[in-house]
Amino acid sequence: MDINEISFENLPKAVAHLVKEIAEIKLLIQNVQVYESKEKSIPIGIDEVSRLIGKAKPTIYALVRQRKIPCYKYGKKLYFFEEEVLEWISKGKKKTIQEIESDVLKYDHNRKK
């Protein structure tokens, strides 16, 4: 359906077409997510982690010693999984002022019940 064809008379057809297109997009997204979840996790080395998080290798070694970053050691070599490192980064998120205010309002609302 062409965008120029839309008029009041064929509005139901246009809406039906959009619903069909959205359903197809949803199906494509679901297929991509299933494919991505089937991919194997491949361990990465300290050089890749250094590039991933933008920190120097000595800093990463310090984080490993302090047990702050998720890692695996086999022999003398350190291994990391990219998904775990990215999750570790996301756990350190600082809340915005709006998120803090929202939490306060929720707490205050629940307290008044």
Side-chain angles (χ1 to χ4, degrees), residues 95 98-113:
K95 290 187 176 184
Q98 290 86 5
E99 290 172 330
I100 293 170
E101 288 173 350
S102 174
D103 289 347
V104 168
L105 291 174
K106 286 178 189 174
Y107 173 77
D108 190 42
H109 178 72
N110 289 339
R111 202 171 136 226
K112 289 181 181 179
K113 285 185 178 181

Side-chain angles (χ1 to χ4, degrees), residues 46-51 55-65:
I46 195 159
D47 292 324
E48 290 90 357
V49 173
S50 176
R51 276 186 246 116
K55 300 284 183 188
K57 285 169 58 172
T59 304
I60 296 171
Y61 283 122
L63 292 170
V64 168
R65 273 193 309 277

Side-chain angles (χ1 to χ4, degrees), residues 18-28:
L18 289 175
V19 168
K20 180 183 171 192
E21 293 287 323
I22 290 172
E24 290 175 9
I25 291 171
K26 282 183 177 179
L27 185 62
L28 288 171

